[in-house]
């Protein structure tokens, strides 16, 4: 008789554990093809590009792990699913990962990807892009999200400053960096305006309502949206319902930010029988943005107000609330262009003991500078990371490089400030400065290349000289 | 030799340290009719003290040593005033220039007279503040050190988001560099502006751009010596707005920049730009927002006591028994209030005599006013030396000085002044036409206050509707929409001679679009047909009269007969049809006399049955209290009578 209640209790506990009782879920978007850095990504998923000899995806995953996430959903393209899973397995992370493949061929946007996995998300969630390299503690962002019970909280970091002496490998690009225009209320930290500078031609129109509601706000042009969002569950429901959004940053977020200014439709009580039909068919965000009764009660009873000059209620009575969480003074960038990719690598190679690397890994993950299985005969090795089975012959000089697995460097070669991916062969008497050599390429005898990109499997012929070029097979680029 | 040079250096040093302020005695743009005929705006009494007194107090507190008072009108009164002042802490110099018409003229004049040696504070004649100007001037100097071209710092008070219409009107949009407060764009927003256009360049050239809307120009400007020459060089600068706009547009050419500075939150400032602002300033001084500039703390007005509910009383004021001063009021020295007099939200100046049982609300009574018993004064301004005889009733009036009103007179919404010995009464609402602003504070108080907020919320709805999914415009009643749709369809059908079958289809589709029940359909179709002749006739531009209406209706009924037949089939539909006819007859006069023929027509054509008509008639008789239903009853009486007789006949026939 007495066993039954105990059993019941246990059963209940098991059930509680089975049902998702976490507060936040995490989604890592790693399905990107690297459209802004096609020279590098030909033939391999962007999220596996090495940064400091770790695949790019390591950084966001470690970030999540460090903030206490036990599980995460990783969205990758179906074709790369096994590669990524295998690569991540090697990283020895504790976080439990659920890889979801996006059916190949379809070029899905970030919002589309989220929509695809909506059935796996049951609570508010964090979306993080695989190219975010940072040491920022996500817990702070979550706190700022909780504080205002936001709809979306976005992480805003200063746009990374490129040092004057830094030269991006490859030809001088005329590609202007994207500028985000981010408007933040000075008093409340509300995200009130979000757009890309390229959306405008000469003038920006601000609505009177925005000016009236937020009497003092600042629009920043030197900050960027880091593509780390904490998103309320109802936004996901809205996203699933409204299929017209395909990206988060470009479409959904600006839409929701703008929607903060609108008011929920008034419920007209008199014509019940006629209006119900309409409301259901209307694609209205306020069908989803509904304050929970308990929250309403709390808000009504609380004396808290986020602004003080007028007599409006807290948050102006808005249910849709977007906030910016600003972090300055920490390392943070998105490696979605060659420049940023090179910058991240060079930052790590300048000193082997980078501060942010230590914060991120908390010393738990120590990457040996020189892998045990590597053979290094050279006497001039300085600030390098050398991966498994690399072979560096004698009479070579390697300084501030990342050298991938199975790389062969033959004698009388000098290499500095470069990223050398896996299976690269560099023959004798080469001089390589500030280059990115993609996997499998071969540099033949006596070549001197400076500030160049060498595409995957490309063969640089002997005794050639190149400066600020992209060296790759033409048809390979065409493929993309 | 050496002695002289030393002296020179000394005097130079000494002079440089002297902080100067230029006060324009007239503002040229204020809208305080008819004050300009009485005082220069700087001498306008606020809570019984001229504005200039407050200003001098602030300047002395801020250690400003030299004050230049620029006079362009009422020079005598200003001279007299300055003579009476002679304070040790500050030297007041008059710059007299008759016939100066704008702020630009004044500054050009100051430039030619060369009185300004260093940085100075420019104060327009309607400014009021308690801020520490010295600290602010220091900030301005720091700015000049960084940027030699810093010409001016605007002092702005942050009023935040507010619903007070006068503040909203006065506050301006300031777009500035967030790192150093350099102004890029400055504009007072017009009410109807829905969008503000800003240059993309600004955002790209600066790390952060601060956009502020709730900023109120205090009419106090911290200027570098370059400002007067700038006015001289640009003859088109008339007002301060011209100057700011001109400098911002030609920043490069003029090599001058404008900065802005926010007042501390505890510092108060409000320019008296209108009667509304005057009203607000008086209230807020009484409620001590402007501390230490309050009646009981000012050094030059003594012996005021601060009482509960923001009321003040001078020691020499005499209040008779039963006299009530409710709230936000002040009674000046040597004033006497009679028995049972009631005062709220008003100021009473010096030497006023108020009789018994007088009511004064929301009003400003300046000095030496004589008010006799039983007067009612609401929302009015009474200048000095006026006399009101018994039982004068004033609401929303402005009385010029020395106006004498006879007993039992009553005025609403007027300006009263003497013109060549005669009392001249002008309606305020007529005065407003050219200024398009509310002249008095109270006209907005009751009616506009609420409306204004609403106005904002509605325009906001509009602006949000631009981003695709429309917000809730109040749903127009679906059935009404349906009705108008049906009228449209029928009218078009009649004009173009469309087939009735098609029209039925159209009506049915409208019915589903608006989700209207079948009974409402029959009701509305009949209603539509009966009102159709009106639409048709007005479309044809032919006069609407009985004969016209009836003939068209007849034609239409025969034309639309299929439709009527289609919808009026059941007994319920007949009920609806009769109801619609009744409803239409009450609104369309022309139909009333036609009712009985219409009933007859429907009866003959088997649309309405005899029983239903009689039933309706009996039921209709029940609510006899309604005049209209009685009229209808009267109008159809003969037909009913005939019907009843016919019934008997037919029953006879059947028996045969």
């Amino acid at each position: 008789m007495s066993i039954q209640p105990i059993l019941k209790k246990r059963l209940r506990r098991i059930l509680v554990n089975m049902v998702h009782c976490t507060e936040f879920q995490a989604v890592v978007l790693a399905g990107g093809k690297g459209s802004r850095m096609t020279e590098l990504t030909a033939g391999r998923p962007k999220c596996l590009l090495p940064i400091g000899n770790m695949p790019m995806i390591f950084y966001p995953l470690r970030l999540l792990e460090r903030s206490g996430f036990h599980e995460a959903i990783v969205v990758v393209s179906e074709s790369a699913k096994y590669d990524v899973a295998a690569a991540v397995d090697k990283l020895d992370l504790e976080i439990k990962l659920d890889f979801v493949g996006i059916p190949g061929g379809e070029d899905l946007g970030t919002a589309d990807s989220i929509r695809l996995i909506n059935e796996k998300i049951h609570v508010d969630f964090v979306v993080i892009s695989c190219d975010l390299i940072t040491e920022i503690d996500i817990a702070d962002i979550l706190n700022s999200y909780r504080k205002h019970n936001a709809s979306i909280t976005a992480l805003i970091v200063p746009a990374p400053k490129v040092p004057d002496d830094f030269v991006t490998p490859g030809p001088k690009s005329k590609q202007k960096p994207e500028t985000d225009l981010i408007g933040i209320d000075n008093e409340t930290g509300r995200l009130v305006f979000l757009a890309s500078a390229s959306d405008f031609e000469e003038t920006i129109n601000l609505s009177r309502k925005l000016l009236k509601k937020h009497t003092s706000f600042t629009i920043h042009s030197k900050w960027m949206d880091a593509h780390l969002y904490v998103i309320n569950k109802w936004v996901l429901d809205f996203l699933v319902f409204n299929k017209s959004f395909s990206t988060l940053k470009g479409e959904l977020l600006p839409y929701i930010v703008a929607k903060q200014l609108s008011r929920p439709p008034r419920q007209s009580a008199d014509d019940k029988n006629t209006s119900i039909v309409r409301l259901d068919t209307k694609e209205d965000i306020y069908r989803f943005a509904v304050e929970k009764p308990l929250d309403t009660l709390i808000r009504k009873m609380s004396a808290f107000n986020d602004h003080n000059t007028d007599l409006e209620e807290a948050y102006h009575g808005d249910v849709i609330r977007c906030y910016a969480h600003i972090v300055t003074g920490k390392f943070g960038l998105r490696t979605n262009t060659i420049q940023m990719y090179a910058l991240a690598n060079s930052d790590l190679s300048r000193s082997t003991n980078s501060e942010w690397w230590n914060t991120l890994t908390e010393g738990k993950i120590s990457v040996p500078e020189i892998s045990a299985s590597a053979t290094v005969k050279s006497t001039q090795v300085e600030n390098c990371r050398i991966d498994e089975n690399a072979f560096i012959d004698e009479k070579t000089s390697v300084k501030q490089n990342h050298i991938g697995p199975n790389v062969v460097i033959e004698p009388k070669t000098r290499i500095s400030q470069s990223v050398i991916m896996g299976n690269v062969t560099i023959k004798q008497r080469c001089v390589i400065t500030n280059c990115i050599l993609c996997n499998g390429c071969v540099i033949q005898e006596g070549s001197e290349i400076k500030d160049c990109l060498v595409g995957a499997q490309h063969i640089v012929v002997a005794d050639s000289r190149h400066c600020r070029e992209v060296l790759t097979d033409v048809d390979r680029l065409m493929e993309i | 030799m050496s002695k002289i040079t030393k002296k020179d250096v000394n005097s130079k040093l000494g002079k440089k340290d002297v902080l100067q302020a230029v006060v324009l005695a007239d503002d040229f743009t204020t809208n305080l009719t008819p004050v300009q005929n009485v005082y220069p705006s700087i001498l306008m009494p606020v809570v019984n003290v001229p504005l200039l007194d407050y200003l001098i107090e602030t300047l002395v507190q801020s250690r400003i040593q030299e004050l230049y008072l620029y006079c362009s009108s009422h020079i005598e009164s200003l001279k007299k005033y300055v003579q009476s002042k002679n304070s040790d802490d500050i030297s007041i110099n008059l710059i007299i220039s008759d016939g100066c018409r704008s702020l630009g003229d004044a500054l050009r004049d100051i430039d030619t007279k060369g009185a300004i040696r260093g940085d100075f504070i420019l104060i327009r004649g309607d400014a009021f503040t308690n801020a520490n100007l010295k600290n602010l001037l220091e900030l301005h100097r720091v700015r000049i050190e960084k940027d030699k071209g810093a010409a001016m710092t605007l002092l702005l008070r942050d009023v935040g988001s507010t619903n007070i219409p006068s503040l909203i009107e006065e506050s301006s949009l300031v777009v500035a560099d967030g790192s150093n407060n350099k102004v890029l764009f400055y504009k007072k927003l017009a009410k109807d502006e829905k969008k503000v256009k800003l240059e993309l360049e600004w955002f790209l050239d600066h790390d952060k751009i601060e956009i502020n809307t709730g900023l109120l120009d205090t009419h106090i400007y911290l200027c570098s010596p370059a400002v007067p020459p700038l006015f001289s060089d640009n003859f088109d600068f008339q007002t301060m707005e011209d100057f700011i706009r001109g400098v911002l547009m030609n920043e490069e050419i003029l090599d001058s920049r404008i900065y802005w500075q926010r007042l501390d939150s505890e510092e108060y400032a409000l320019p008296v730009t209108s009667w509304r602002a005057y009203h607000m300033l008086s209230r807020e001084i009484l409620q001590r927002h402007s501390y230490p500039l309050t009646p009981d703390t000012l050094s030059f007005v003594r012996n005021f006591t601060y009482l509960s509910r923001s009321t003040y009383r001078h020691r020499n004021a005499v209040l008779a028994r039963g006299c009530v001063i409710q709230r936000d009021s002040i009674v000046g020295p040597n004033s006497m209030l009679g028995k049972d007099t009631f005062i709220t939200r008003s100021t009473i100046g010096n030497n006023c005599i108020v009789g018994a049982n007088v009511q004064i609300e929301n009003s400003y009574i300046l000095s030496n006013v004589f008010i006799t018993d039983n007067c009612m004064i609401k929302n009015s301004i009474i200048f000095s030396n006026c006399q009101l005889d018994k039982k004068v009733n004033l609401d929303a009036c402005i009385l010029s000085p020395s106006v004498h009103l006879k007993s039992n007179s009553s005025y609403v919404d007027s300006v009263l002044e003497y013109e060549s010995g005669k009392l001249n009464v002008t309606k305020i609402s007529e005065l407003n036409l050219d200024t398009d602003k509310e002249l008095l504070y109270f006209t907005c108080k009751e009616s506009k206050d609420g409306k204004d907020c609403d106005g904002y919320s509605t325009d906001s709805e509009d602006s949000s509707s631009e981003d695709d999914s429309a917000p809730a415009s109040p749903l127009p009643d679906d059935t009404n929409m349906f009705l108008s749709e049906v009228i449209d369809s029928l009218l078009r059908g009649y004009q173009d001679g469309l087939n009735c079958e098609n029209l039925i289809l159209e009506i049915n589709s409208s019915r589903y679009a608006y989700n209207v029940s079948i009974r409402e359909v029959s009701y509305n179709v009949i209603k539509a047909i009966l009102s159709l002749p009106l639409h048709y006739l007005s479309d044809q531009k032919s006069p609407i009269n009985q004969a016209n209406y009836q003939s068209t209706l007849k034609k239409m009924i025969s034309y639309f007969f299929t439709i009527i037949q289609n919808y009026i089939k059941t007994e319920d539909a007949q009920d609806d049809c009769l109801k619609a006819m009744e409803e239409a007859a009450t609104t369309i006069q022309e139909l009333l006399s036609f009712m009985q023929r219409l009933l007859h027509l429907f009866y003959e054509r088997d649309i309405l049955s005899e029983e239903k008509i009689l039933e309706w008639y009996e039921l209709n008789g029940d609510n006899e209290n309604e005049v209209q239903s009685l009229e209808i009853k009267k109008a159809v009486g003969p037909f009913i009578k005939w019907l009843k007789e016919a019934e008997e006949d037919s029953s006879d026939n059947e028996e045969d």
Side-chain angles (χ1 to χ4, degrees), chain A residues 233-253:
Chain A
K233 175 70 165 59
W234 73 255
V235 178
L236 178 70
D237 296 339
F238 172 67
L239 188 64
V240 170
F241 177 79
N242 192 332
K243 299 203 162 46
S244 61
F245 298 106
S246 70
T247 61
L248 289 178
K249 182 181 170 169
E251 293 168 25
L252 179 71
L253 200 60

Side-chain angles (χ1 to χ4, degrees), chain A residues 143-157:
Chain A
N143 280 341
S144 115
Y145 171 87
R146 289 183 186 114
K147 189 161 121 197
H148 296 293
N149 195 6
S151 309
I152 295 185
T153 298
L155 171 67
I156 307 286
V157 295

Side-chain angles (χ1 to χ4, degrees), chain B residues 132-144:
Chain B
N132 186 337
L133 298 174
K134 191 174 184 219
N135 291 354
L136 295 165
L137 197 59
E138 286 307 319
L139 286 174
H140 176 60
R141 284 186 169 158
V142 170
R143 236 167 238 144
I144 291 179

